[in-house]
Amino acid sequence: MITETALLEKLPRGLFIGGEWVDGSAGTFAVHDPATGDVLVEIADASPEDGIRALDAAVAAQDAWAATAPRTRSDILRRAFDLLTERADEFALLMTLEMGKPLAEARGEVTYGGEFLRWFSEEAVRIAGRYGSNPEGTGRMVISQRPVGPCFFITPWNFPLAMATRKIAPALAAGCTVVVKPPELTPLTTLAFVQLLVEAGLPAGVVNVVTTTTSSAVSGAIIADPRLRKLSFTGSTPVGKKLIAQAAEGVLRVSMELGGNAPFVVFDDADLDKAVDGAMAAKFRNIGQACTAANRFIVHEAVAGEFADRVSERVRAMKIGRGTEEGVQIGPLIDQKAVDGTAALVKDAVDRGAVVRAGGSAIEGPGTFFEPTVITEVAAGSDILREEIFGPVLAIATFASEDEAVRLANDTEYGLVSYVFTEDLQRGLRMIDRLETGMMGLNIGVVSNAAAPFGGVKQSGVGREGGLEGIHEYLSTKYTLIPAS
């Protein structure tokens, strides 16, 4: 396996514009290892002018890319999938270095992220329209699909590869060109991935990357440009609202995958072995730093005690450390701000009467670590039940009836995903209809899949990524009428 030093040495460090690696007008900035605080590398820092140059390149490449045969686009995505699979260990290590997740989880993300390349390589050749007579019999209707046009993607730091492939793959499959602004905290994986796309045969200008420490200025300039036709963002709801407002000026197509506050409902008839396994996956995957992470554990009062005992025992046994270390299950949080925010939520809950059953504190020393934590007897109104935790804290509240469970689960402005554990099939089917979320896991703690539409309702966003629906976010429908002869 490649060493950390060798991996970082071969990494591109510039902006990628028009098929070339170039310097940033604003100089450089450092990317840190959250497990140690050490600088990994310095990379190019883009200015708003650099962002517009990247859009220039995407616009210049748009017509030729849209006219490229679907099979050619498909083959490039498939070659990218094959190359990523070959270099899975390198990409996993890079993600662990810049984001902190355990190496085993990083390997899982490579598999997940790669599936978007494979899925949309297959969808590229299946873009279809329809043809038929109009009801009056006076003409023939042709319904066709065309690429939306140049797209701007703002990706999050928590899944550096999968969030890039989930946006880039369907855009390329549909015939759209792209400008990507990766997160300041974890930009390195995107740089490596774009280098891989070039090796796979991607033409110059089709994908462009701007890394920057002035995200709002760079993004604002690109979004305000009338040549842009699509904006996709994954991140917090407050930021998403601002971007939607900016996009409204140009009437841009938008896809927004925003915040979550996922309920994890355990009924009294649940298989507790399944529920505990599901809880560990839904809560502690990615160190709790996922929009799909279970945020509120709503457990029937008849089984709450046993459930809490079991998860607390599992949590106390978890190994904490740098993600590259053997057997580590909990790596660092992304930065000190994340640690402070997690600590504040735990403190508020405890001040309101909650009981800490495991963990509960930040860890002193290098890196930004927080103990995996279980708290019970969480009172209504606690901040931890209203805000997205984004940390390794499992907070348990109780309920007495199905109606109460539904009321508690839906008592949030968010609606991304929910998790339900019950052995009663009819109850499970009722929950599909009653819970106000865009996705649901029934007796399972992880739902994401490249072949499924990912997205939420309410203030968790608009649009879908993945599945049959994912490519249509990058296509516009055109209707043509041909008069009957």
Side-chain angles (χ1 to χ4, degrees):
M1 184 173 177
I2 192 170
T3 66
E4 295 177 21
T5 301
L7 179 62
L8 294 173
E9 283 179 350
K10 76 173 196 173
L11 189 72
R13 304 187 187 190
L15 311 178
F16 190 65
I17 299 177
E20 297 181 353
W21 295 101
V22 298
D23 293 336
S25 300
T28 63
F29 67 94
V31 180
H32 295 85
D33 179 346
T36 63
D38 295 339
V39 173
L40 294 170
V41 292
E42 295 260 349
I43 64 170
D45 194 356
S47 68
E49 291 75 21
D50 293 324
I52 295 302
R53 287 198 295 125
L55 182 59
D56 290 342
V59 170
Q62 177 58 56
D63 288 347
W65 183 244
T68 300
R71 177 59 68 194
T72 300
R73 301 198 299 262
S74 171
D75 288 345
I76 290 171
L77 288 170
R78 179 64 199 217
R79 282 197 294 272
F81 167 78
D82 291 338
L83 287 170
L84 182 64
T85 302
E86 291 172 10
R87 300 173 193 172
D89 286 345
E90 291 185 16
F91 275 86
L93 178 57
L94 186 57
M95 280 190 284
T96 294
L97 293 179
E98 66 173 342
M99 187 266 159
K101 69 182 69 187
L103 202 51
E105 288 195 21
R107 291 190 184 102
E109 183 176 341
V110 174
T111 299
Y112 175 51
E115 282 303 309
F116 289 103
L117 299 172
R118 178 155 63 172
W119 174 264
F120 286 110
S121 75
E122 296 161 348
E123 290 300 293
V125 296
R126 292 180 174 83
I127 298 170
R130 68 181 193 270
Y131 169 85
S133 297
N134 64 6
E136 297 79 15
T138 59
R140 291 174 174 82
M141 302 184 299
V142 177
I143 313 301
S144 57
Q145 302 289 333
R146 296 178 55 81
V148 168
C151 304
F152 180 45
F153 297 153
I154 305 173
T155 57
W157 52 261
N158 54 339
F159 290 94
L161 178 67
M163 298 303 96
T165 60
R166 195 162 78 182
K167 296 181 190 299
I168 293 172
L172 299 187
C176 298
T177 59
V178 170
V179 177
V180 184
K181 190 206 75 61
E184 178 183 348
L185 293 169
T186 60
L188 306 182
T189 302
T190 302
L191 298 177
F193 174 61
V194 171
Q195 187 177 48
L196 181 148
L197 285 175
V198 174
E199 290 184 51
L202 192 72
V206 176
V207 174
N208 307 272
V209 182
V210 287
T211 51
T212 183
T213 58
T214 55
S215 179
S216 60
V218 171
S219 298
I222 295 172
I223 294 168
D225 194 298
R227 299 172 298 171
L228 186 71
R229 297 314 316 141
K230 164 83 181 186
L231 169 65
S232 180
F233 168 73
T234 298
S236 73
T237 294
V239 173
K241 288 179 178 180
K242 293 177 182 177
L243 292 171
I244 291 171
Q246 293 175 37
E249 290 297 316
V251 196
L252 299 181
R253 287 274 293 273
V254 296
S255 298
M256 295 280 151
E257 196 268 283
L258 306 178
N261 188 6
F264 188 104
V265 183
V266 181
F267 284 96
D268 54 344
D269 63 352
D271 181 325
L272 284 189
D273 290 334
K274 291 180 186 176
V276 170
D277 286 344
M280 299 303 292
K283 177 71 265 182
F284 297 105
R285 174 174 171 255
N286 217 48
I287 323 164
Q289 299 174 122
C291 56
T292 54
N295 215 59
R296 298 167 294 144
F297 286 77
I298 303 167
V299 185
H300 194 280
E301 57 190 16
V303 296
E306 184 178 355
F307 178 82
D309 288 343
R310 291 200 195 185
V311 294
S312 297
E313 181 180 4
R314 294 272 292 270
V315 167
R316 284 191 287 266
M318 297 183 87
K319 183 177 179 180
I320 307 166
R322 191 171 190 248
T324 53
E325 297 171 11
E326 186 69 29
V328 164
Q329 297 162 285
I330 296 291
L333 296 185
I334 190 62
D335 58 14
Q336 190 58 45
K337 180 181 178 182
V339 173
D340 294 343
T342 302
L345 290 175
V346 172
K347 182 179 185 303
D348 173 79
V350 171
D351 289 347
R352 296 171 187 262
V355 176
V356 176
R357 297 285 299 272
S361 300
I363 298 174
E364 296 293 330
T368 47
F369 291 87
F370 195 95
E371 295 176 310
T373 297
V374 177
I375 56 176
T376 60
E377 301 175 43
V378 179
S382 297
D383 290 346
I384 207 164
L385 298 180
R386 295 185 294 105
E387 300 179 17
E388 194 169 21
I389 300 171
F390 246 62
V393 179
L394 193 159
I396 300 174
T398 60
F399 70 92
S401 69
E402 182 177 313
D403 285 344
E404 183 184 10
V406 171
R407 178 182 62 80
L408 292 172
N410 289 339
D411 186 22
T412 174
E413 67 267 34
Y414 300 105
L416 185 60
V417 63
S418 53
Y419 304 93
V420 174
F421 283 77
T422 177
E423 292 299 289
D424 183 335
L425 177 59
Q426 292 305 313
R427 172 179 278 154
L429 294 174
R430 290 196 298 273
M431 292 302 101
I432 293 174
D433 292 332
R434 297 186 72 185
L435 295 188
E436 299 168 349
T437 57
M439 302 176 287
M440 189 177 109
L442 182 58
N443 293 322
I444 192 168
V446 177
V447 301
S448 300
N449 189 286
F454 187 103
V457 298
K458 301 195 285 188
Q459 293 195 31
S460 284
V462 293
R464 293 294 183 270
E465 295 183 314
L468 298 174
E469 297 80 0
I471 200 167
H472 290 284
E473 297 286 336
Y474 300 94
L475 295 168
S476 61
T477 300
K478 186 169 187 175
Y479 152 60
T480 303
L481 179 64
I482 305 171
S485 57

